[in-house]
Amino acid sequence: MSSALTPLFFDGHNDTLLRLLHSGKADPAGRFLQGDGEGHIDLPRAISAGLGGGLCAIFVPSPAGLDAEKNFLPPAQPEALNRTLAMARLLFEIEARSAGGVSVCRSAADIRAAFQRQSFAALLHIEGVEAIGADLDALYVLHQAGLRSLGPVWSRPNIFAHGVPFRFPASPDIGPGLTEAGKDLVRACNELKIVIDLSHMNEQGFWDIAKLSTAPLIATHSNAHALSPHSRNLTDRQLDAIRDSRGVVGVNFGVLFLRDDGVKNPETPLDILLNHIDYLVKRLGVDHVGLGSDFDGTTIPAAMGDVSGLRLIAEGLVSRGYDAETIDKICHGNWLSVLERSLGA
């Protein structure tokens, strides 16, 4: 780390691809590369902030008028597949036009090499795999294209599992777990060395995956239920299972998942975010906590503003007595370590 205040960051989750495509503006790849100043991330701001890369999510929003908590989202919808491919294509176009400034990574070694070149290390992730059918054909094709991480569900049901709905206060123990197709998906992800993200799983689905999967348990963007009793957050028992599997939890910056009152208030103090880091470090140990911002996908504390606010987290950790080695682990090292164990070196 060059300075206690400017570490290298690797982020467990962003929704920037969706933001770029949904803006309706021309040349989304060019706007990311040149810097459009919109949302939370573009390449110039990422470089300035020390953000060396992250899991870049593909997410297909629910169709208009669909109640995500009640209605089953059909599998392998042509629209879901088409939109998934459009976001993947956008990421590959960004890489191709970046003159080496962005690298789509398929292994931990790729990420390390990108860091050395000062190239933004993008790991292709899908959040809710409605584009994939029970035959899993699309999974194998997408893996060949570069897919290395997925969450079986977003917070809605599909053929694989039941995502946890957004409720406060509430336990994550809402609804049934994996279907038989979901169990097949987990086995295939283990075979292909695709990370399985637990962040939007309900509790039963979490335990089904914990029992079946041979990989470290990873929640890319979740917080401590003990501090914020939101259904999307992780109970102590879930945290213990992640620790015991040598997994990682990425702290979500979303104010809905930080606060103890469930209020979507952007004036949430950064100390509340730091409290979640403290809690997770004490529960999991310093080797199992990372950052999972949810940039461009949620309301973050106004004090952060955008990706440039990452330095405030580093400064806050310094003020709480964390040493440089531990800050490096939280900011990027733990992600690299768990991805080595999950994807291979």
Side-chain angles (χ1 to χ4, degrees), residues 319-334:
S319 72
R320 294 189 176 208
Y322 288 81
D323 60 30
E325 180 182 0
T326 301
I327 293 172
D328 265 352
K329 286 184 175 184
I330 293 170
C331 290
H332 77 272
N334 289 337

Side-chain angles (χ1 to χ4, degrees), residues 118-244:
Q118 297 185 326
S119 176
F120 185 90
L123 200 75
L124 182 58
H125 170 83
I126 297 179
E127 183 177 41
V129 290
E130 285 77 26
I132 296 172
D135 56 20
L136 302 182
D137 290 346
L139 175 72
Y140 284 85
V141 173
L142 289 165
H143 175 262
Q144 285 290 94
L147 176 67
R148 290 298 181 270
S149 176
L150 62 80
V153 290
W154 184 68
S155 289
R156 62 193 175 201
N158 61 23
I159 64 167
F160 301 108
H162 288 72
V164 66
F166 288 74
R167 296 182 188 172
F168 184 97
S171 161
D173 188 13
I174 303 171
L178 294 180
T179 65
E180 289 305 312
K183 294 175 183 177
D184 290 341
L185 176 67
V186 169
R187 296 185 188 100
C189 286
N190 285 168
E191 170 198 340
L192 295 170
K193 296 189 181 300
I194 295 174
V195 167
I196 303 168
D197 178 19
L198 299 165
S199 285
H200 284 272
M201 298 298 302
N202 65 6
E203 189 166 3
Q204 186 57 57
F206 176 101
W207 292 117
D208 287 347
I209 291 173
K211 180 179 179 180
L212 183 61
S213 179
T214 59
L217 301 177
I218 293 174
T220 64
H221 57 306
S222 294
N223 292 335
H225 193 271
L227 299 186
S228 175
H230 196 290
S231 57
R232 269 275 282 106
N233 286 337
L234 298 163
T235 67
D236 284 350
R237 184 167 169 247
Q238 289 174 303
L239 294 175
D240 292 347
I242 291 172
R243 176 199 63 214
D244 294 345

Side-chain angles (χ1 to χ4, degrees), residues 8 47 52 95 98-122:
L8 175 66
I47 293 170
E95 178 187 39
S98 72
V102 176
S103 301
V104 178
C105 297
R106 293 164 173 80
S107 67
D110 285 351
I111 297 171
R112 291 187 186 279
F115 285 172
Q116 289 294 320
R117 299 191 306 271
Q118 297 185 326
S119 176
F120 185 90

Side-chain angles (χ1 to χ4, degrees), residues 16-90:
T16 302
L17 295 172
L18 179 66
R19 175 182 70 79
L20 289 167
L21 278 185
H22 271 222
S23 72
K25 296 182 180 179
D27 192 17
R31 288 189 293 107
F32 177 80
L33 292 169
Q34 295 156 21
D36 61 5
E38 298 180 5
H40 294 142
I41 304 177
D42 55 37
L43 187 58
R45 283 182 288 168
I47 293 170
S48 178
L51 180 62
L55 275 68
C56 297
I58 291 172
F59 169 63
V60 178
S62 298
L66 179 71
D67 184 334
E69 291 191 14
K70 297 179 181 178
N71 297 107
F72 182 84
L73 197 62
Q77 306 171 88
E79 179 66 10
L81 181 57
N82 288 342
R83 294 175 80 176
T84 295
L85 294 177
M87 280 180 263
R89 177 189 172 183
L90 173 58

